[in-house]
Amino acid sequence: MKDTSCRKCGDQLYVYKKCNVCFKPNQFTCGKLGHTTDEEIHMKCIMIDMDHTILSS
């Protein structure tokens, strides 16, 4: 997600959530409206997370 401003009001977006594998921001929230964006999915990170989950079971 490369957007730095809210599509609804134009205010700045802040990091809301980071990927639990690569720790890059993958979800943002608007500072003015409190609107949260959809979570960006990192396919490579999902595969790593799934592999880790399978191996730890």
Side-chain angles (χ1 to χ4, degrees):
M1 292 190 169
K2 307 287 187 246
D3 294 334
T4 58
S5 60
C6 178
R7 292 184 180 184
K8 293 185 178 188
C9 71
D11 202 34
Q12 184 174 355
L13 290 176
Y14 298 96
V15 175
Y16 180 74
K17 186 177 177 185
K18 292 184 179 184
C19 176
N20 63 349
V21 176
C22 69
F23 303 108
K24 292 182 181 177
N26 64 350
Q27 194 171 18
F28 300 87
T29 188
C30 173
K32 185 177 182 180
L33 300 176
H35 169 73
T36 304
T37 63
D38 291 336
E39 185 175 358
E40 180 181 353
I41 305 298
H42 304 145
M43 292 307 292
K44 184 176 178 180
C45 294
I46 287 176
M47 298 304 289
I48 290 169
D49 192 40
M50 286 175 56
D51 189 43
H52 176 64
T53 302
I54 291 169
L55 290 175
S56 65
S57 294

